[in-house]
């Protein structure tokens, strides 16, 4: 179905809506240049060379000037979609953008669907599916780590790895298929020992990729982090100290304000998403007393809990209870003894004694005086990521890829199991084909309209 | 001062911040190409021809790839600012935009000030001041009429008219200055009758331009329109009926949503700004009873009041009072007798009799059934604009221009007065110079840093 729409000429605003100096409107398709030429007055676009820019006016059907624009011409196959592409750089007025879009929509051009330009780039062989998905990840990336991950995937590192695994299997698969062709004759072109070795090797590579997904997910989506504690424990001071510097950097460069300044904290290129657990924050007393299911759910879904208490207060039993509850529900817990500026007596032994927290997880701080705040960040990073990020390693961050790898691995296990119990060749061949299918899904060698619709539907319009 | 900064190389995001497919980052200045070339890997930009596009990667100082981009090269003087310009078309991620800006900010490039690219276009003689101002108007334009007005001004129609007036005066001024050079000798190079004729002619042209300002203001800023009436009179139904269609058109084209859907209504290309007079809308009873000064202020500042009442109710004295108050404060008033679908008996004579409203200003409607809604729009337009918009006429829409024209006109009046009472040549010459000064301010032949700072400071960054 998607292939049938490749002959349409499509149009969309490629830049964000809103206030700015210029906007870019993109046309792609067989007739992009000739249709654009009908409404562009300056250079004859049909005679323009590829990768050139021309100044001119866009006029509507009645000859009324809509805007003075720059027109970039890209000629197939040297363009993003490998088709002819026209990009109009216009004054950034929603009225002008509307008018230009409408002129073309009235004249044989169709509004592009979400992600349709990138879909075409994929269908026309400009990039494989995993690379196309990385384009969306790249646009969404908001930290050094997620950016690097997307960039690596877009540049084909991951696809390459999958393709190598797949091609090794394909060789064996074709030998086994050949054996099947010989039917009853007892021939063996595919060396079973070698096949077994290969399958084991591939499964181990896939296993490592599967393992990397947890890390990939953290890099892509951030580390869900809950800051909890009683209202007077100093949470907002801590939050401000953690966030202040970040915010300053963001607002330093005018015109690049991020869409939403959520409470995210960037430590060494990794986003920590500080989750608003209204339940805990607004808690009048303790977690236990509130006992809101929702809060506990948020805590359960977090990767890291930072629990803050006021060290000048007598430690109430409630704190011990909180810690006990948290310890059972959370992978990583940092306990902060705040207000150290007030010279309290902190007796860490009490905490260790109860077995609720280990030495490195209890940090005395003064949010007010910035004491140990940098050390806290270091600890947050180490707890989740120390030693895990490795430049050479391929990291899976896409849940679709994870699923496909998982299925491929299962099919390969079936190959091994089958050979062990001596199933017939056609079963072995079937399981190998199955694993080839799932590996092919990742790069798009195998794809369905449903799958493509699902992937590209999540893109923005204009990409 | 501004001229001294022309040697800086400046950078800014030219497209709006937010979600989109691509972003454009613009560099301008003497070193734009050579600095860009240090971080762009693909084509050697210093050897690239003007108006060409090149695919490549942007890497930071450490060689880390920030993005794969398209790089457009413009060579002086064939560019917007008449300088060398580089435009990077990048993936639209705030992280990537930040990183690219920072690389250049660390390496001898300065963040552009608001409007600095257009300021340079002006300083380098690409356009005059009134045309530069029209660029901002064009970007802000949100209706056919305001767009046409800005486009006409940007294309130089208005400047041309001012320049012609000015050059005619300049000829006379130089003749009179020549007379002054001859000192005591009684020479007369400038024919006083001709001068008087010319000044009268120019004043009449300026007079027409001054008159057009009211219209220009309405076109540019919309017609401030208040919809008033008691809460149950059907205001929101009317508002929806007036606005519905509009909103549908806006949302038809995905990706072009306007920044703010204020309650504005476009009638034949003119925006009517429906002003939220909370005071009136939420009024429990009548305007008089509320008597909020603020509401009356809004009413006083509006160009048009639409007063709605429920025709099925017995007309209370309050209505007569409201109308009396409105009549004294508002230039244009439309009285809507709503709920005509309920077959009430409407006795228009009562209204006319009291002299509060004329026949054409009382419109029976049914907001619910869409009765007379189109007619109402027609009336709204006619009341404000009928016969006033004329394709050939030059319309002043900028209050700075209005002020300068006004001062030029006063100076010319002083020329006439002076000649009448026979002042000496040097006084006449001074007044002529004064009017030349004010006319020159419009196109920027006369400009100060203060003036330029004021004008371009209102632009967005990146323009």
């Amino acid at each position: 179905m998607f292939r049938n729409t490749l002959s349409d000429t499509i149009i969309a605003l490629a830049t964000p809506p809103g206030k700015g100096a210029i906007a870019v409107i993109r046309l792609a398709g067989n007739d992009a240049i000739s249709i654009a030429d009908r409404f562009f007055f300056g250079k004859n676009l049909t005679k323009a060379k590829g990768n050139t820019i021309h100044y001119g006016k866009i006029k509507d059907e009645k000859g009324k000037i809509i805007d003075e624009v720059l027109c970039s011409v890209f000629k197939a196959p040297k363009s993003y979609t490998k088709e002819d592409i026209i990009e109009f750089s216009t004054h950034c007025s929603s009225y002008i953008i509307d008018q230009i879009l409408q002129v073309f929509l009235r004249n044989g051009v169709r509004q592009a669907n979400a992600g349709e330009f990138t879909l075409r780039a994929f269908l026309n062989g400009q990039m494989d599916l995993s690379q196309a998905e990385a384009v969306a990840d790249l646009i969404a990336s908001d930290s050094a780590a997620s950016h690097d991950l997307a960039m690596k995937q877009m540049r084909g590192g991951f696809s390459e790895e999958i393709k190598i695994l797949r091609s090794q299997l394909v060789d064996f698969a074709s030998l086994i298929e050949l054996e099947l062709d010989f039917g009853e004759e007892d021939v063996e072109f595919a060396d079973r020992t070698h096949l077994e070795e290969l399958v084991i090797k591939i499964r181990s590579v896939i296993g490592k990729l599967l393992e990397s997904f947890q890390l990939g997910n953290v890099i892509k989506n951030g580390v869900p982090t809950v800051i909890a504690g009683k209202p007077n424990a100093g949470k907002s001071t801590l939050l401000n100290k953690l966030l202040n510097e970040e915010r300053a950097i963001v607002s330093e460069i005018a015109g690049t304000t991020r869409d939403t300044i959520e409470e995210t904290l960037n430590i060494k290129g990794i986003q920590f998403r500080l989750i608003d657990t209204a339940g805990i924050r607004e808690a009048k007393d303790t977690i236990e007393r509130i006992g809101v299911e929702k809060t506990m759910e948020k805590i359960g879904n977090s990767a890291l809990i930072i629990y803050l208490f006021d060290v000048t207060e007598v430690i109430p039993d409630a704190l011990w209870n909180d810690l006990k509850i948290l310890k059972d529900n959370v992978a990583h817990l940092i306990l902060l003894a705040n207000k150290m500026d007030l010279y309290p007596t902190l007796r860490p032994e009490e905490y260790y004694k109860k077995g609720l927290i280990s030495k490195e997880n209890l940090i005395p701080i003064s949010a007010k005086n910035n004491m140990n705040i940098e050390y806290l960040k270091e600890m947050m990073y180490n707890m989740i990521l120390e030693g895990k990020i490795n430049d050479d390693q391929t990291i899976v961050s896409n849940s679709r890829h994870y699923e496909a790898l998982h299925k491929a691995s299962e099919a390969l296990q079936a190959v091994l199991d089958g050979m062990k119990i001596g199933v017939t060749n056609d079963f072995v061949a079937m399981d190998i084909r199955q694993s080839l299918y799932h590996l092919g899904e990742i790069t798009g060698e195998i794809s369905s309209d449903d799958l493509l619709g699902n992937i590209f539907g999540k893109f923005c319009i204009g990409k």
Side-chain angles (χ1 to χ4, degrees), chain A:
Chain A
M1 180 197 103
F2 283 130
R3 291 194 179 273
N4 299 340
T5 67
L6 280 176
S7 57
D8 296 356
T9 297
I10 56 175
I11 193 168
L13 176 66
T15 46
K19 290 201 190 311
I22 62 168
V24 176
I25 294 173
R26 187 184 265 173
L27 277 143
N30 293 338
D31 301 329
I33 293 177
S34 62
I35 296 181
D37 188 59
R38 282 172 54 200
F39 302 98
F40 177 80
F41 296 82
K43 171 87 178 179
N44 180 336
L45 297 179
T46 62
K47 290 181 181 156
K49 285 190 194 151
N51 286 46
T52 57
I53 308 167
H54 308 278
Y55 167 82
K57 298 174 189 70
I58 295 186
K59 298 185 187 175
D60 68 11
E61 297 93 329
K62 290 175 186 160
K64 197 178 134 182
I65 298 173
I66 301 179
D67 200 8
E68 300 186 2
V69 303
L70 289 175
C71 173
S72 299
V73 178
F74 301 89
K75 292 197 130 177
K78 279 190 69 184
S79 80
Y80 183 63
T81 64
K82 288 198 160 187
E83 305 164 285
D84 285 347
I85 286 188
I86 291 287
E87 284 185 1
F88 290 120
S89 173
T90 75
H91 287 95
C92 190
S93 132
S94 59
Y95 178 80
I96 287 174
I97 295 166
D98 267 24
Q99 295 298 307
I100 294 176
L101 289 176
Q102 285 183 20
V103 164
F104 287 102
L105 294 178
R106 283 195 299 266
N107 287 279
V109 178
R110 168 169 71 70
Q111 171 78 31
N113 297 319
E116 194 167 4
F117 295 97
T118 309
L119 170 66
R120 288 183 173 201
F122 163 68
L123 292 175
N124 292 329
Q126 178 79 290
M127 52 180 83
D128 71 29
L129 200 50
S130 139
Q131 289 174 307
E133 286 171 298
V135 172
D137 289 350
L138 192 65
I139 291 177
S141 71
D142 52 6
S143 69
S146 59
H147 167 262
D148 292 355
L149 200 61
M151 185 60 85
K152 214 164 159 186
Q153 187 175 323
M154 196 177 79
R155 309 210 68 220
F158 177 51
S159 307
E160 214 40 61
E161 194 149 348
I162 299 296
K163 276 178 196 153
I164 290 169
L165 296 181
R166 198 166 181 267
S167 76
Q168 290 172 330
L169 262 182
V170 163
D171 292 344
F172 264 98
S174 50
L175 288 178
I176 291 179
E177 307 271 351
L178 200 61
E179 290 175 14
L180 290 175
D181 285 346
F182 279 79
E184 299 305 302
E185 298 171 51
D186 195 14
V187 295
E188 189 178 283
F189 299 117
D191 181 321
R192 290 300 184 272
T193 320
H194 283 172
L195 174 58
E196 194 181 332
E197 279 170 18
L198 177 69
V199 170
I200 290 172
K201 199 189 101 197
I202 292 179
R203 281 201 77 236
S204 123
V205 175
I206 292 179
K208 275 184 198 138
L209 290 174
L210 286 171
E211 271 172 34
S212 76
F213 179 65
Q214 202 183 3
L215 178 62
N217 195 43
V218 157
I219 290 174
K220 190 165 156 183
N221 300 316
V223 183
T225 305
V226 167
I227 298 188
K230 283 169 67 179
N232 58 350
K235 284 197 306 291
S236 28
T237 314
L238 174 66
L239 216 56
N240 282 335
K241 282 286 150 67
L242 285 173
L243 295 172
N244 263 345
E245 193 194 346
E246 268 287 288
R247 289 219 169 115
I249 289 174
V250 171
S251 61
E252 217 173 66
I253 299 160
T256 64
T257 355
R258 298 172 188 214
D259 302 336
T260 50
I261 302 193
E262 250 195 324
E263 290 178 341
T264 57
L265 173 66
N266 190 312
I267 306 179
K268 297 194 206 175
I270 298 285
Q271 293 279 5
F272 285 73
R273 293 189 292 110
L274 304 181
I275 293 161
D276 188 359
T277 59
I280 298 184
R281 282 220 200 147
E282 287 155 20
K284 288 285 175 296
D285 195 0
T286 66
I287 299 172
E288 203 192 29
R289 183 153 150 208
I290 302 286
V292 190
E293 254 179 69
K294 226 174 180 176
T295 303
M296 287 316 296
E297 201 183 301
K298 278 186 185 171
I299 289 176
N301 289 336
S302 70
L304 172 63
I305 287 261
I306 297 174
Y307 191 99
L308 192 71
F309 71 96
D310 179 345
V311 80
T312 64
E313 283 187 4
V314 175
I315 296 171
D317 283 344
L319 175 62
W320 303 121
N321 284 332
D322 279 2
L323 287 180
K324 212 170 281 171
I325 293 169
L326 291 174
K327 212 179 127 62
D328 293 342
N329 283 283
V330 181
H332 300 287
L333 173 65
I334 293 176
L335 184 63
L336 297 181
N338 191 22
K339 310 201 184 173
M340 290 301 289
D341 49 297
L342 302 176
Y343 304 103
T345 329
L346 177 64
R347 279 182 297 272
E349 316 80 52
E350 289 191 38
Y351 303 82
Y352 310 150
K353 200 173 59 192
K354 300 224 178 203
L356 291 170
I357 199 98
S358 63
K359 204 164 181 176
E360 60 270 23
N361 292 355
L362 171 63
I363 309 177
I365 67 161
S366 160
K368 194 176 146 203
N369 292 354
N370 246 336
M371 168 186 157
N372 272 348
I373 299 297
E374 280 313 305
Y375 177 74
L376 166 62
K377 287 186 186 173
E378 195 94 357
M379 282 300 293
M380 287 168 72
Y381 182 89
N382 288 350
M383 217 167 238
I384 306 289
L385 289 146
E386 173 139 69
K388 287 191 186 157
I389 293 188
N390 176 336
D391 259 4
D392 302 327
Q393 186 197 352
T394 301
I395 295 169
V396 178
S397 64
N398 183 311
S399 53
R400 189 183 73 81
H401 300 170
Y402 177 81
E403 210 177 308
L405 284 170
H406 190 71
K407 285 182 181 157
S409 179
E410 282 183 340
L412 289 175
Q413 184 60 49
V415 171
L416 292 178
D417 293 348
M419 289 201 296
K420 196 168 281 168
I421 60 170
V423 297
T424 54
N425 279 350
D426 44 353
F427 280 104
V428 173
M430 199 186 71
D431 286 331
I432 293 181
R433 274 200 302 267
Q434 193 65 24
S435 66
L436 286 174
Y437 175 87
H438 291 302
L439 290 175
E441 271 186 327
I442 294 174
T443 52
E445 282 157 281
I446 311 290
S447 70
S448 68
D449 271 3
D450 272 359
L451 178 67
L452 296 180
N454 203 356
I455 290 173
F456 291 99
K458 287 174 196 147
F459 275 58
C460 61
I461 288 179
K463 188 67 226 177

